[in-house]
Amino acid sequence: MGTRKLGKMEVSELGFGCMNIAWAYGNPPTRKDSLKLIRSAYDEGIRFFDTAEIYGPHISEQITGEALKDVRNNVVIATKFGFNIDFQTGQFRGGNNSDPKHIRQAVEHMLKRLQTDRIDLLYQHRIDPHVPIEDVAGTVGDLVREGKVLHFGLSEVGEATIRRAHKEFPVTAVQNEYSFWTRDPEAEVIPVCEELGIGFVPWSPLGMGYLTGKVTPDYKFAEGDIRRSLNFPRFTVEALEKNRPIVELLARIGERHEATSGQVALAWLLAQKPFIVPIPGTRFISNMKENTASARVKLTASDLAELKEGFDITGVFGDRAPEGLKAAHDTGTSLGTSSKGTHGKTPLRK
């Protein structure tokens, strides 16, 4: 496993997303199996682990901390704040919360759950429209100066927000959805990351599993699987059928490299920019090993040209997320002209 830089922070060129051990795609694995999965990812060379307080809530952080405590100094742990979660019970109370006081409280609880004295990379999970991004960046900056956090990140943000935050305190990484079939960041986010020296971490780099070819039109979704329960447009039976040419294109390229469609999808991401670090997640060790092996797939210029031409022809059927969910994602325009924050002056909220 090679390494890459997110800003000035070095990580393994592939990370491991720890969401699925707590929720999302059906029944999560047992605690014992989750611990084994994360330790196996470490054994495969993964040194970058991504979690969040909302995953569970709290369950993913607890398991990730337990699994990595014996190798803590050899790994980079990223986690995220930003939702209104009860610190004691883990109950999600609804809505976003990036109030500076709440951020500080969240970090204290994260440190305990992760069994560590510092968080390597702390993201704001989603923009809070009631809190200027300058206040968020300034608060995390204070936590960095105190040694409780090492680096600051943002998730699901656009160019304007990135620029405003970075001006207040340096942003190390941006984590937005990006994959072979979801290209939104290419217009403004990846270019501004390149300009400012910020790393980019694609979440859902395998298209919520679709790009592996394993989610077919007759796929049996488990009860509670968010792809169906939250009505993701690309996971209707019609969309699963109409988007098959995308998987077939990846599979054709994969045949040349003795690779699966999913491995080609991850290799494609790695080939886009040297500061891109995908974080595929899974519930199964076999899938994790398949994903990790994608780092050995080196696509040629001809492969990349064929993938581009094929994608331009086929396109994608269905939006990447339900409208209600997308509404919580910052496009970078609505927040672009907001008033400056009050960090370092008067508290935003009591």
Side-chain angles (χ1 to χ4, degrees):
M1 182 69 65
T3 60
R4 292 194 167 197
K5 286 286 189 70
L6 299 174
K8 296 180 180 179
M9 181 175 66
E10 187 172 88
V11 297
S12 52
E13 60 187 325
L14 285 172
F16 183 78
C18 300
M19 180 181 74
N20 298 345
I21 64 173
W23 75 296
Y25 301 149
N27 297 322
T30 64
R31 185 181 185 87
K32 179 180 178 181
D33 287 342
S34 296
L35 291 169
K36 185 177 180 181
L37 172 61
I38 293 174
R39 288 168 180 157
S40 296
Y42 178 84
D43 291 341
E44 289 294 311
I46 299 293
R47 295 294 182 269
F48 181 37
F49 294 84
D50 181 274
T51 183
E53 62 173 357
I54 194 65
Y55 301 160
H58 297 171
I59 295 172
S60 177
E61 285 183 325
Q62 292 167 353
I63 294 174
T64 301
E66 176 68 22
L68 298 175
K69 64 180 182 180
D70 292 338
V71 293
R72 179 65 186 93
N73 292 331
N74 299 330
V75 298
V76 170
I77 297 178
T79 191
K80 313 176 196 74
F81 67 86
F83 291 107
N84 198 20
I85 303 169
D86 186 280
F87 296 125
Q88 303 300 328
T89 67
Q91 180 182 2
F92 176 46
R93 294 171 171 171
N96 299 347
N97 191 342
S98 284
D99 180 277
K101 180 179 178 181
H102 184 86
I103 294 172
R104 284 188 159 277
Q105 291 175 318
V107 165
E108 293 301 326
H109 288 276
M110 287 172 169
L111 292 171
K112 292 177 182 177
R113 287 192 293 270
L114 291 167
Q115 301 187 46
T116 185
D117 61 350
R118 81 279 185 192
I119 296 167
D120 298 297
L121 175 58
L122 181 67
Y123 292 100
Q124 182 190 37
H125 208 153
R126 292 293 183 271
I127 290 294
D128 185 339
H130 303 294
V131 181
I133 195 64
E134 289 82 4
D135 285 4
V136 175
T139 301
V140 177
D142 288 344
L143 289 165
V144 171
R145 286 183 279 271
E146 293 167 19
K148 295 178 180 180
V149 173
L150 302 187
H151 297 275
F152 172 42
L154 297 168
S155 181
E156 281 304 317
V157 289
E159 177 185 0
T161 301
I162 294 168
R163 290 187 184 280
R164 287 174 54 197
H166 192 70
K167 188 176 181 180
E168 181 71 31
F169 189 81
V171 177
T172 291
V174 168
Q175 183 178 140
N176 284 15
E177 183 178 8
Y178 184 42
S179 68
F180 188 71
W181 77 344
T182 297
R183 306 295 186 86
D184 305 54
E186 292 178 346
E188 60 172 48
V189 172
I190 292 176
V192 76
C193 285
E194 186 164 29
E195 175 192 338
L196 298 177
I198 298 170
F200 186 82
V201 179
W203 66 264
S204 199
L206 291 170
M208 293 188 167
Y210 185 76
L211 301 180
T212 66
K214 298 169 185 177
V215 185
T216 59
D218 59 353
Y219 184 84
K220 303 300 181 184
F221 291 90
E223 184 177 353
D225 189 312
I226 64 169
R227 293 171 289 189
R228 278 288 170 83
S229 65
L230 296 183
N231 299 314
F232 276 81
R234 293 182 184 174
F235 287 88
T236 64
V237 173
E238 180 183 18
L240 292 176
E241 182 61 48
K242 287 188 174 180
N243 285 321
R244 290 304 294 174
I246 294 174
V247 175
E248 292 166 358
L249 171 62
L250 292 167
R252 284 199 302 274
I253 301 298
E255 289 176 0
R256 303 171 191 167
H257 298 273
E258 297 184 349
T260 64
S261 62
Q263 288 173 327
V264 173
L266 292 173
W268 178 85
L269 282 170
L270 290 170
Q272 298 310 298
K273 296 289 182 181
F275 55 85
I276 290 178
V277 179
I279 49 168
T282 180
R283 295 173 291 164
F284 306 107
I285 290 177
S286 59
N287 291 347
M288 178 274 296
K289 290 184 176 181
E290 178 182 331
N291 294 341
T292 304
S294 65
R296 298 194 293 269
V297 179
K298 306 301 180 185
L299 300 176
T300 66
S302 176
D303 293 330
L304 294 169
E306 186 173 338
L307 286 167
K308 181 182 185 306
E309 181 181 7
F311 181 80
D312 289 344
I313 292 171
T314 62
V316 182
F317 182 85
D319 206 347
R320 74 181 182 99
E323 280 301 318
L325 199 58
K326 283 181 67 180
H329 298 174
D330 171 32
T331 64
T333 54
S334 62
L335 298 180
T337 57
S338 297
S339 61
K340 292 285 186 178
T342 58
H343 180 75
K345 300 174 184 176
T346 57
L348 183 71
R349 293 183 192 169
K350 295 292 184 181

